């Protein structure tokens, strides 16, 4: 059903009540005298008894009971830009309809409904079934280069032996100029099927590449499961340009209903692979020819469900080790994992000297590892549940020449009833064109709860050049939208050239890593009217941003975030084209006669580096700051030197020609400038307000327990006369109808 566009609505006066007109008045319900409500400072000396709070709540219900419910979104004509809501902060004070029409292609291109007849809904029943996957593997002649076929064997071995879930059906197809069914679908019920499939992995190549034949043959294998390819998967790996026109089989791919995940190996893989993954909803990965990067194994490890009996990657690292030198490190088995744990060491020439100590000091050597000289790998499977704690390894090169050595560690949940800590990495797009910046994301959770306080590093590997490291943050600034939601992010714009890039995310949890209860942004109503009687709801639960588990302890995770393509990157040094990112978390409060502002520092280039200066503006009208920031009243802030992006900034001052008194409301916005004199957009508008509720002293011996009367406000004045003009603030001012749009942002 299409959503009605704004010109099909007839806005009632009830809707317009959200603009905060004085004639719609109700008392403000203050739930905690020691906290600010909607940015308004409440004196801590006031005490509110439970009786007073309930009486106030009943008054709110009494006033609201005869009002029509707000059922429509605000548009620009009636949106309240003064309300200190998340909508205004996050959406630059735009109304709900403005946000919808700005970001929704469907809404912008769909004409308003002229008929009141609502189309009948349709339902599709989706039933989960066992996974059906066919590996479609390139065995063309180019796979002989750079040890690609050997690495394919290594990675496919890991996928079949450790990654693919028990109960899944797996087939194998190889292709070059023609395609061959190497194995029909085999249902995995034990290690017997896994070993059989591994024995069928390719070890020789044939010239030519026809990707379409490989895909279509994979469809035929999958179709034998139940007569349909719908919902089945193809895992396509190729290293070369197609010798034929891949787009000729696009109609077959679309009609199949299958999901095609691809892995591009090397710099010359077909550029049509992104199209195939996009049209089928598949994942896209890339692995370079750097044999110490583990890119191919990481890609295979990433192609698995997000839930269920998932193998979680705890470590994946490699290095070129010089003669008689060692690669040393550690891996943490935390409290949420430990079952089906395996350590895999890969090498190019000879098995390195391996020593592995568990947390209790038990020693494993290469004699305990099972070595496969075809895949050039050595594996140790830990029986039962691995010991919790830090496992330390040392991989030493005993050769007289350098050796490429890597280690991969995977484990599964220790308890099926307790979800493990997981990480999911991705970029904001799979295609990009210079000079547009990109954003790297990592979602760190345990079940549905976000994990905060961890170190998250994005490792971006280009076709040409060195690895690029980004520290992703969850601080609600820069590329990060919401603080402490478990989503860590940062801009990426350090392009080294055109081509494919890959993303890997590394997460390290230390003491202080926490689970955070998600914030409930639902509107609380203190009660309702039933048959003319006011019925009170349960007390409003206090919003809790604190941890539900004080300490998750040490843990580590690795996740492959897929690949992306960047085009139109110019040669030579890049000019300074990125201004500081917009400051989005500016806050303001009144302390005595001073205004105290706080925010998170932005960067010189978006959210990286340090800006050169700040520009602070003040007004009694938020619309002035929105429409005319540069001509609004400036506040001297030149003595504040911007810190590095992500740092906490604080600035306080005494406003000139303003007497801070009961009812004072001031608005602020901030901009940052870089060394190239490029300015960021103005920040969100912060409101500093002082509202002291009146106290009725006539019916109480203790004035501090009296019920609050109507809250009042006045525009700031240089006068100290307490008889300044009073304007009543309605609660409807706070309950802006655009609050509904928070679910859309």
């Amino acid at each position: 059903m299409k959503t009605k566009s704004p010109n099909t609505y007839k806005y009632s006066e009830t809707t317009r009540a959200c603009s905060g007109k004085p004639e719609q008045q109700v008392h403000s319900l203050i739930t905690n005298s020691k906290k600010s409500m909607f940015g308004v400072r409440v004196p801590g000396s006031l005490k509110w008894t439970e009786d007073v709070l309930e009486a106030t709540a009943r008054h709110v219900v009494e006033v609201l009971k005869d009002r029509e419910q707000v059922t429509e979104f605000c548009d620009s004509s009636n949106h309240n830009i003064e309300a200190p809501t998340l909508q205004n902060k996050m959406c630059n004070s735009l109304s709900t309809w403005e946000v919808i029409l700005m970001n929704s292609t469907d809404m912008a291109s769909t004409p308003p409904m002229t008929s009141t007849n609502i189309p009948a809904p349709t339902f599709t029943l989706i039933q989960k079934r066992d996974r059906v996957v066919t590996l479609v593997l390139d065995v063309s002649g180019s796979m002989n280069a750079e040890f690609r076929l050997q690495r394919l064997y290594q990675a496919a071995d890991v996928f079949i032996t450790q990654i693919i879930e028990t109960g899944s059906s797996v087939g194998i197809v190889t292709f070059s100029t023609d395609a061959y069914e190497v194995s029909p679908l085999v249902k995995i019920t034990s290690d017997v099927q896994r070993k059989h499939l591994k024995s069928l992995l390719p070890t020789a190549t044939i010239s030519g590449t026809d990707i379409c034949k490989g895909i279509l043959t994979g469809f035929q294998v999958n179709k034998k499961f139940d007569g349909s390819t719908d919902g089945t998967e193809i895992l396509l790996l190729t290293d070369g340009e197609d010798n034929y026109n891949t787009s000729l089989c696009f109609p077959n791919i679309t009609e199949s209903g299958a999901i095609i995940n691809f892995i591009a190996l090397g710099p010359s893989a077909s550029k049509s692979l992104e199209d195939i993954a996009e049209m089928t909803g598949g994942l896209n990965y890339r692995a370079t020819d750097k044999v110490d990067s583990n890119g191919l194994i990481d890609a295979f490890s990433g192609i698995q469900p997000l839930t269920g009996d998932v193998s979680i990657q705890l470590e994946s690292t490699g290095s070129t080790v010089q003669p008689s030198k060692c690669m040393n490190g550690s891996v943490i088995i935390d409290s949420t994992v430990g079952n089906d744990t395996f350590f895999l060491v890969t090498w190019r020439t000879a098995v390195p000297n391996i020593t592995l100590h568990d947390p209790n000091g038990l020693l494993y050597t290469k004699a305990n590892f099972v070595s496969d000289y075809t895949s050039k790998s050595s594996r140790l499977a830990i029986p039962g549940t691995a010991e919790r704690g830090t496992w330390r390894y040392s991989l030493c090169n005993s050769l007289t020449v350098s050796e490429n050595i890597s280690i991969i560690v995977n484990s599964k949940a220790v308890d099926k009833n307790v979800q493990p800590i997981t990480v999911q990495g991705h970029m904001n797009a799979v295609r990009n064109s210079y000079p547009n910046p990109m954003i790297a994301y990592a979602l760190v959770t345990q079940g549905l709860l976000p994990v905060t306080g961890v170190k998250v590093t994005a490792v971006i590997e280009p076709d040409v050049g060195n690895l690029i490291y980004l520290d992703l943050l969850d601080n609600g600034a820069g590329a990060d939208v919401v603080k402490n939601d478990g989503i860590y992010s940062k801009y990426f714009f350090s392009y080294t050239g055109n081509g494919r890039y890959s993303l890997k995310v590394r997460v390290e949890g230390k003491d202080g890593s926490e689970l955070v209860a998600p914030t409930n942004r639902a509107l609380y109503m203190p009660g309702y009217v039933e048959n003319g009687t006011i019925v009170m709801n349960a007390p409003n639960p206090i919003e809790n941003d604190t941890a539900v588990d004080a300490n998750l302890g040490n843990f580590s995770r690795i996740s492959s975030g897929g690949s992306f393509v960047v085009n139109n990157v110019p040669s030579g040094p890049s000019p300074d084209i990125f201004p500081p990112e917009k400051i989005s978390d500016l806050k303001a409060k009144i302390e005595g006669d001073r205004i105290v502002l706080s925010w998170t520092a932005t960067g010189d280039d978006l959210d990286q580096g340090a800006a050169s200066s700040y520009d602070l503006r003040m007004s009694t009208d938020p619309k002035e700051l929105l429409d005319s920031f540069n001509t609004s009243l400036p506040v001297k802030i030149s003595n504040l030197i911007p810190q590095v992006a992500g740092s906490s900034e604080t600035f306080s001052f005494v406003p000139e020609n303003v007497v801070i008194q009961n009812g004072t409301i001031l608005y602020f916005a901030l901009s940052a400038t870089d060394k190239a004199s490029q300015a960021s957009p103005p920040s969100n508008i912060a409101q500093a307000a002082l509202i002291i509720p009146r106290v009725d002293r006539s019916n109480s011996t203790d004035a501090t327990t009296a019920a609050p009367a109507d809250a009042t406000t006045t525009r700031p004045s240089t006068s100290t006369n307490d008889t300044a003009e009073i304007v009543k603030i309605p609660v409807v001012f706070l309950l802006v109808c655009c609050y509904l749009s928070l679910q859309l942002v």
Side-chain angles (χ1 to χ4, degrees):
M1 183 178 68
K2 297 291 185 182
T3 306
K4 290 191 286 185
S5 61
N7 56 2
T8 64
Y9 284 128
K10 294 182 179 179
Y11 290 93
S12 64
E13 285 303 311
T14 301
T15 304
R16 295 187 182 279
C18 72
S19 63
K21 291 185 177 180
E23 58 265 31
Q24 286 89 25
Q25 304 168 15
V26 292
H27 289 301
S28 297
L29 176 60
I30 301 177
T31 60
N32 190 330
S33 63
K34 295 182 180 179
K35 293 186 176 182
S36 295
M37 185 176 72
F38 291 95
V40 178
R41 187 165 70 91
V42 180
S45 60
L46 293 179
K47 299 179 181 178
W48 307 94
T49 66
E50 294 299 323
D51 290 341
V52 170
L53 288 174
E54 181 173 346
T56 309
R58 286 182 178 276
H59 185 77
V60 171
V61 176
E62 180 67 31
V63 174
L64 290 177
K65 68 183 179 67
D66 295 326
R67 296 184 179 276
E68 298 179 28
Q69 295 184 359
V70 175
T71 59
E72 301 169 350
F73 290 144
C74 289
D75 66 6
S76 58
S77 68
N78 53 26
H79 175 60
N80 179 12
I81 65 171
E82 295 186 19
T85 61
L86 190 62
Q87 167 80 16
N88 281 332
K89 174 185 174 183
M90 304 301 294
C91 301
N92 202 31
S93 297
L94 295 174
S95 69
T96 304
W97 269 119
E98 289 174 293
V99 173
I100 293 174
L101 294 176
M102 177 176 63
N103 293 301
S104 172
T105 303
D106 290 339
M107 290 298 299
S109 60
T110 303
M113 292 179 61
T114 57
S115 173
T116 58
N117 296 324
I118 300 176
T122 58
F123 298 90
T124 301
L125 179 63
I126 300 176
Q127 183 177 6
K128 184 179 180 180
R129 68 175 184 181
D130 291 335
R131 193 176 180 192
V132 177
V133 184
T134 292
L135 308 184
V136 178
L137 308 175
D138 187 348
V139 293
S140 61
S142 57
M143 289 292 291
N144 281 322
E146 303 294 340
F147 301 93
R148 291 174 187 167
L149 191 63
Q150 174 189 311
R151 291 161 55 215
L152 181 155
Y153 189 100
Q154 280 180 349
D157 176 11
V158 172
F159 181 79
I160 291 171
T161 305
Q162 299 289 157
I163 302 300
I164 189 70
E165 314 90 274
T166 298
S168 301
S169 296
V170 179
I172 300 176
V173 168
T174 60
F175 71 93
S176 54
T177 52
D178 209 340
Y180 309 91
E181 179 184 308
V182 176
S183 173
L185 293 174
V186 175
K187 186 166 185 176
I188 296 177
T189 59
S190 68
D191 286 344
V192 173
Q193 292 81 27
R194 296 181 189 272
K195 291 178 181 178
H196 169 68
L197 288 168
K198 174 184 174 180
S199 69
L200 300 175
L201 291 174
T203 58
T205 61
I206 309 172
S207 61
T209 303
D210 191 337
I211 294 175
C212 276
K213 281 188 177 179
I215 292 174
L216 297 178
T217 303
F219 287 162
Q220 292 303 313
V221 174
N222 285 353
K223 196 171 184 179
K224 295 175 183 177
F225 181 76
D226 63 1
S228 171
T229 57
D230 194 32
T232 64
E233 295 178 59
I234 295 291
L235 200 170
L236 171 66
L237 182 145
T238 182
D239 77 328
E241 288 288 350
D242 200 345
N243 297 134
Y244 303 88
N245 187 354
T246 312
S247 63
L248 293 178
C249 62
F250 281 6
N252 305 82
I253 292 173
T254 303
E255 293 170 5
S256 71
I259 300 168
I260 300 181
N261 308 298
F262 83 79
I263 302 173
L265 178 55
S268 302
S270 174
K271 300 302 185 288
S272 63
L273 296 177
E274 279 78 15
D275 296 323
I276 294 173
E278 186 175 2
M279 71 175 66
T280 65
L283 302 173
N284 46 288
Y285 293 91
R286 161 190 169 274
T288 66
D289 286 325
K290 299 176 183 177
V291 295
D292 58 356
S293 67
N294 290 346
L296 199 51
I297 294 177
D298 293 341
F300 271 92
S301 297
I303 302 176
Q304 57 179 322
L306 298 178
T307 59
D309 191 26
V310 178
S311 183
I312 298 171
Q313 201 167 33
L314 308 182
E315 180 61 286
S316 175
T317 186
S319 178
T320 300
V321 181
Q322 298 302 316
S324 302
K325 299 296 183 180
C326 300
M327 184 175 77
N328 302 315
S330 61
V331 180
I332 298 170
I333 305 294
D334 60 87
S335 61
T336 66
V337 295
N339 288 353
D340 294 333
T341 303
F342 74 88
F343 292 76
L344 180 71
V345 176
T346 66
W347 33 272
R348 177 183 292 185
T349 306
V351 180
N353 290 328
I354 304 172
T355 57
L356 174 67
H357 291 87
D358 78 358
N360 295 326
L362 180 62
L363 174 64
Y364 299 88
T365 68
K366 71 177 182 180
N368 302 109
F369 282 68
V370 178
S371 296
D372 183 333
Y373 290 87
T374 302
S375 64
K376 303 294 179 69
S377 63
S378 302
R379 182 193 312 272
L380 172 67
I382 305 298
T385 301
E387 288 290 337
R388 184 185 305 177
T390 301
W391 293 61
R392 304 188 185 280
Y393 62 83
S394 181
L395 310 176
C396 299
N397 178 15
S398 59
L399 302 177
T400 57
V401 295
S402 61
E403 174 74 312
N404 292 311
I405 302 175
S406 66
I407 183 169
I408 298 94
V409 184
N410 279 47
S411 188
K412 293 185 178 180
V414 70
D415 185 345
K416 292 184 178 180
N417 297 317
V418 179
Q419 293 180 309
I421 300 168
T422 60
V423 56
Q424 301 170 39
H426 69 94
M427 301 297 293
N428 65 310
V430 297
R431 289 188 181 89
N432 189 53
S433 182
Y434 179 89
N436 298 316
M438 301 190 71
I439 304 176
Y441 293 104
L443 172 62
V444 187
T445 59
Q446 183 177 5
L448 298 177
L449 296 179
V451 177
T452 65
V454 299
K455 177 178 176 58
V456 181
T457 304
V459 183
I460 296 176
E461 186 176 16
D463 274 336
V464 179
N466 298 322
L467 298 178
I468 302 164
Y469 296 89
L470 297 174
D471 289 330
L472 307 189
L473 302 177
D474 184 15
N475 61 354
D480 193 65
V481 178
V482 179
K483 183 178 181 179
N484 289 342
D485 63 351
I487 302 174
Y488 297 73
S489 57
K490 180 158 282 191
Y491 282 106
F492 170 64
F493 47 82
S494 301
Y495 310 124
T496 60
N498 297 315
R500 285 191 176 98
Y501 294 68
S502 62
L503 169 68
K504 179 192 286 189
V505 175
R506 178 179 293 272
V507 175
E508 299 175 50
K510 304 292 183 183
D511 288 341
S513 301
E514 299 174 335
L515 285 178
V516 176
T519 301
N520 179 8
R521 302 193 187 281
L523 177 64
Y524 172 75
M525 294 300 293
Y528 58 95
V529 178
E530 183 175 336
N531 297 325
T533 302
I534 295 177
V535 180
M536 300 303 297
N537 287 323
N540 185 15
I542 298 175
E543 290 294 344
N544 182 15
D545 282 339
T546 61
V548 297
D549 186 336
N551 192 349
L552 290 176
N554 295 343
F555 66 90
S556 62
R557 296 291 186 272
I558 298 289
S559 174
S560 179
S563 64
F564 57 98
V565 176
V566 180
N567 295 313
N568 299 325
V569 179
S571 58
S574 298
D576 186 349
I577 60 174
F578 297 110
E581 174 68 349
K582 173 182 175 179
I583 296 167
S584 59
D585 62 348
L586 180 65
K587 296 177 183 178
K589 61 182 179 180
I590 296 174
E591 291 187 354
D593 62 348
R594 303 185 70 85
I595 303 295
V596 179
L597 301 170
S598 61
W599 66 94
T600 302
T602 185
D604 178 87
D605 297 311
L606 298 176
D607 58 359
Q608 296 170 40
S612 297
S613 62
Y614 288 121
D615 182 5
L616 176 62
R617 304 285 171 151
M618 179 179 75
S619 178
T620 58
D621 182 3
K623 186 171 176 57
E624 179 184 7
L625 293 173
L626 283 173
D627 298 341
S628 307
F629 173 83
N630 291 329
T631 58
S632 299
L633 181 65
V635 176
K636 185 178 180 181
I637 196 175
S638 57
N639 60 331
L640 180 64
I641 305 301
Q643 300 184 71
V644 173
S647 304
S648 296
E649 299 271 35
T650 302
F651 178 75
S652 66
F653 70 101
V654 177
E656 298 179 359
N657 302 319
V658 174
V659 176
I660 296 178
Q661 57 188 2
N662 187 23
T664 297
I665 301 179
L666 298 171
Y667 300 91
F668 301 88
L670 182 69
S671 177
T673 303
D674 67 7
K675 58 181 177 292
S677 299
Q678 300 176 110
S680 71
S683 69
N684 63 293
I685 295 177
Q687 179 191 96
L690 175 63
I691 297 178
I692 304 175
R694 292 175 178 173
V695 178
D696 183 1
R697 303 175 184 271
S698 61
N699 296 321
S700 174
T701 58
D702 183 0
T704 62
T705 62
D710 291 348
T712 60
T713 132
T714 166
R715 294 297 182 191
S717 168
T718 56
S719 171
T720 58
N721 190 345
D722 289 337
T723 62
E725 178 187 3
I726 292 176
V727 181
K728 296 181 179 179
I729 300 181
V731 142
V732 181
F733 170 84
L734 302 175
L735 307 183
V736 288
C737 63
C738 293
Y739 183 91
L740 302 174
S741 69
L742 297 181
Q743 305 303 319
L744 303 177
V745 177

